[in-house]
Amino acid sequence: MPVASSSQSAQAGAVPSAQEENAELAKFRAEWLEELQRRKDEASGASKNSAPTGSTSSTQVNRAGQPTTGVLQFDTFKIQENLAVSAARDTAATTPPALTHPAVRDGAIQPPPQTFPILEKALKAYRQAVDYEQKGNYDEALVLYRQAFRLDDNVDRAYRREEKLKAIVREQQALQAPKPATEIDELAENFKEGARITSPPILKKGHGITGTIASIVAPFLENALQFEPEKEGEPVLLNMLPEELLVVILGNLDPTSIERFAKVSKKARVVSLDPGIWRKLVQRTYLPPQIPDYDVIVPVIEKFSWDFRRVYIEQPRLRLDGVYIATCHYVRPGLSENSWVNTSHLITYHRYLRFYPNGLVLSLLANEEHSPQSIIPLLKPTLRMNGLFSGQWTLNGTIVQLTNLLDASGRFSTSLPSSDGVLSGGVSRVSGHSHGNANSTSDRSDQEPRYTFSMTLNLRSRPLGRWNRMDIESYDSVNIETGDVYPIMLKHERPFWFSKVRSYS
């Protein structure tokens, strides 16, 4: 027998080389595979001939082709099955859920074409079941629920993900849609009722001016001031203009222009401090989402003793007339042909945040190939670029909260659903999995995003009144299906600094 011959060779002290061991191992594997194939053919032939039970022989054949009747007989088919099951279990335990899907082969997502109609049919049945349940028809709803789960086990997750994505898209499209005149008038009336700024109880000259500037201009108020000409003997036409009309004109300017005018003379400084000018700025600026609700602004004004200028300067606000930019750097080691020379690369990238008065925010991450001069004029909701996200923003004190940051680069379908509940673009929905070839541009545009992102920032002012800096406090990804929040660690991030933009044309 081969066992005896091998023991005899071992006793003889013959030590085979590595090449001989490899040759013997390869020969053993070939014979073992041949034996498995032969037994499989015999089993299939026996099933075809319908052999009666109990007529099978107990004789075993070893790898040398000799029959044996030993006690230790191994079922090679059972061993192979157990090995395959254990290997699959180990692979599933160490592989992310998205990669254990049977459609993932060789690292590429290749779903069978029949998966899409089955899931669409399951989602349709699930939607009808939800509709019946809301109407109180529980028997019909139960039947449809069972039908949907028989078609797809994860249809409930796909339905929840679809509904949440629809809600996010509706909110963002509602922010971008122009509001009708009636709605604008209604919002204006609500602001007048909720944030009504009444006059202070005591009216006198110089009232509404507090802080350091009040002590500076106090001597000016005792005497009559006039605009003085740059050259003596020249007329000053501004002296012919009533102060009331000058206040109305200044009220239509931006704060930077008002402060530049105030540097002209003492008269200009006093006129620029009129509460009516800064009251209009406060009314135009501090609206939701700059404040949580309309009732917040009145206590703030009372805290500053009706000094609207200090309210505008010291009360936190997000700048809407430009872009917040974070310039980030990190060093990456490179390759060098000379071992005595170390090569390092300085990598630069930018983060952009643009805020809109209606609560829409655009977030863009761009590499050094795109300079800020080329990006800023294009930073609009119509932009389609890798790294672009759109969401909503709110400000509470100095905390800026960005929510529902959804990929707006065009890779995913973000259209509103049609009447049958299917997103336009032929979107394939499989819970937790993306379908289509990852290298195909047409397939990528028909996928649905699986995650949204949220960001928390701290607003600061350097110097006072600028509100031109934001520090990232946290950055999280939110699973649309489950709602789970996963924090993202940012290593090379830098604070955002505000840059004013004159025009986006």
Side-chain angles (χ1 to χ4, degrees):
M1 295 178 65
V3 176
S5 61
S6 62
S7 61
Q8 292 174 2
S9 60
Q11 293 175 0
V15 181
S17 63
Q19 296 181 354
E20 293 176 354
E21 290 180 356
N22 294 337
E24 184 179 2
L25 180 61
K27 182 179 179 181
F28 172 75
R29 288 177 178 173
E31 293 176 353
W32 181 56
L33 292 175
E34 183 180 357
E35 180 183 354
L36 291 178
Q37 184 65 29
R38 183 175 57 80
R39 290 197 176 193
K40 184 177 180 181
D41 297 339
E42 291 178 357
S44 61
S47 60
K48 291 181 180 179
N49 296 330
S50 301
T53 306
S55 62
T56 57
S57 176
S58 61
T59 305
Q60 302 287 338
V61 181
N62 59 11
R63 62 186 179 94
Q66 301 177 358
T68 61
T69 56
V71 178
L72 298 177
Q73 304 295 335
F74 297 96
D75 190 349
T76 56
F77 293 102
K78 190 66 176 178
I79 295 175
Q80 185 181 16
E81 182 180 358
N82 293 337
L83 290 175
V85 171
S86 61
R89 187 185 302 111
D90 296 339
T91 303
T94 58
T95 307
L99 299 181
T100 58
H101 194 269
V104 179
R105 298 174 183 175
D106 300 331
I109 302 175
Q110 301 176 354
Q114 66 272 15
T115 304
F116 300 158
I118 292 177
L119 184 57
E120 291 293 345
K121 188 175 180 180
L123 282 172
K124 184 178 180 181
Y126 198 92
R127 296 189 200 101
Q128 294 178 355
V130 172
D131 185 53
Y132 280 134
E133 184 180 3
Q134 293 175 353
K135 294 179 180 179
N137 300 330
Y138 299 109
D139 294 337
E140 293 84 350
L142 183 59
V143 172
L144 289 173
Y145 277 134
R146 290 175 177 173
Q147 178 182 354
F149 278 102
R150 280 197 298 267
L151 293 173
D152 194 293
D153 294 338
N154 297 322
V155 64
D156 56 337
R157 297 178 59 186
Y159 176 79
R160 288 195 301 268
R161 174 167 165 261
E162 181 185 68
E163 291 298 317
K164 187 170 182 179
L165 183 61
K166 290 178 185 178
I168 294 174
V169 172
R170 286 194 185 97
E171 290 178 3
Q172 295 191 7
Q173 293 188 352
L175 293 177
Q176 299 180 22
K179 298 182 182 299
T182 55
E183 187 173 353
I184 295 176
D185 296 338
E186 184 179 354
L187 290 174
E189 292 297 330
N190 292 337
F191 172 73
K192 291 179 181 179
E193 294 297 330
R196 179 171 296 175
I197 303 174
T198 58
S199 301
I202 302 176
L203 293 176
K204 61 181 181 179
K205 192 173 183 180
H207 185 84
I209 304 174
T210 60
T212 306
I213 197 169
S215 60
I216 295 175
V217 301
F220 305 162
L221 301 177
E222 299 177 357
N223 303 321
L225 298 176
Q226 288 186 349
F227 293 102
E228 299 294 336
E230 185 178 0
K231 295 181 181 179
E232 295 184 1
E234 292 184 357
V236 181
L237 300 180
L238 283 178
N239 289 327
M240 302 174 58
L241 193 66
E243 291 186 3
E244 293 79 4
L245 186 56
L246 187 57
V247 168
V248 173
I249 295 173
L250 293 177
N252 295 323
L253 301 179
D254 60 279
T256 304
S257 301
I258 295 173
E259 290 300 314
R260 286 176 180 173
F261 173 77
K263 296 178 181 179
V264 173
S265 63
K266 297 179 181 179
K267 174 74 171 181
R269 176 78 275 179
V270 173
V271 173
S272 65
L273 295 177
D274 188 277
I277 299 174
W278 299 96
R279 175 178 174 175
K280 291 181 180 180
L281 287 173
V282 170
Q283 288 179 335
R284 291 198 303 258
T285 302
Y286 292 98
L287 301 172
Q290 292 278 15
I291 54 177
D293 53 68
Y294 294 111
D295 299 331
V296 173
I297 191 62
V298 176
V300 172
I301 295 173
E302 294 177 348
K303 182 181 69 172
F304 288 104
S305 302
W306 299 91
D307 189 348
F308 294 100
R309 183 175 178 273
R310 286 190 59 193
V311 172
Y312 187 82
I313 293 175
E314 300 183 23
Q315 179 65 17
R317 70 183 188 282
L318 275 174
R319 302 284 298 273
L320 308 179
D321 54 342
V323 180
Y324 288 87
I325 305 175
T327 304
C328 308
H329 307 276
Y330 68 93
V331 178
R332 179 176 60 84
L335 299 178
S336 177
E337 296 180 357
N338 190 346
S339 60
W340 295 93
V341 178
N342 293 329
T343 303
S344 300
H345 300 281
L346 178 62
I347 308 300
T348 303
Y349 63 94
H350 297 86
R351 286 187 180 273
Y352 303 86
L353 288 177
R354 183 183 177 185
F355 298 91
Y356 288 84
N358 56 5
L360 180 69
V361 60
L362 297 181
S363 174
L364 177 63
L365 175 62
N367 56 20
E368 58 185 356
E369 296 179 0
H370 305 280
S371 62
Q373 290 80 5
S374 62
I375 289 295
I376 291 176
L378 305 176
L379 194 56
K380 302 176 183 178
T382 55
L383 178 64
R384 291 296 175 265
M385 180 179 177
N386 288 336
L388 180 66
F389 289 80
S390 62
Q392 293 89 37
W393 67 272
T394 55
L395 176 63
N396 190 357
T398 59
I399 301 300
V400 183
Q401 190 72 35
L402 310 185
T403 57
N404 293 334
L405 287 172
L406 199 63
D407 193 324
S409 61
R411 296 185 300 166
F412 302 104
S413 174
T414 55
S415 302
L416 279 176
S418 57
S419 58
D420 57 353
V422 181
L423 294 179
S424 62
V427 179
S428 61
R429 300 175 183 85
V430 174
S431 61
H433 305 287
S434 301
H435 287 272
N437 189 355
N439 297 325
S440 176
T441 305
S442 60
D443 292 341
R444 288 174 62 189
S445 61
D446 290 342
Q447 298 175 4
E448 286 186 9
R450 295 179 53 196
Y451 295 93
T452 61
F453 298 89
S454 62
M455 189 184 301
T456 302
L457 306 105
N458 189 11
L459 182 63
R460 297 184 182 183
S461 185
R462 297 292 185 274
L464 181 64
R466 295 288 183 86
W467 301 112
N468 54 354
R469 174 175 172 173
M470 286 192 299
D471 299 327
I472 298 180
E473 299 291 337
S474 63
Y475 191 48
D476 305 317
S477 66
V478 183
N479 193 314
I480 297 179
E481 296 178 0
T482 62
D484 296 335
V485 179
Y486 306 97
I488 300 176
M489 302 301 296
L490 302 176
K491 296 182 179 179
H492 310 289
E493 298 308 309
R494 294 294 182 267
F496 289 87
W497 290 94
F498 180 77
S499 178
K500 188 175 181 179
V501 179
R502 294 183 178 180
S503 175
Y504 287 95
S505 60

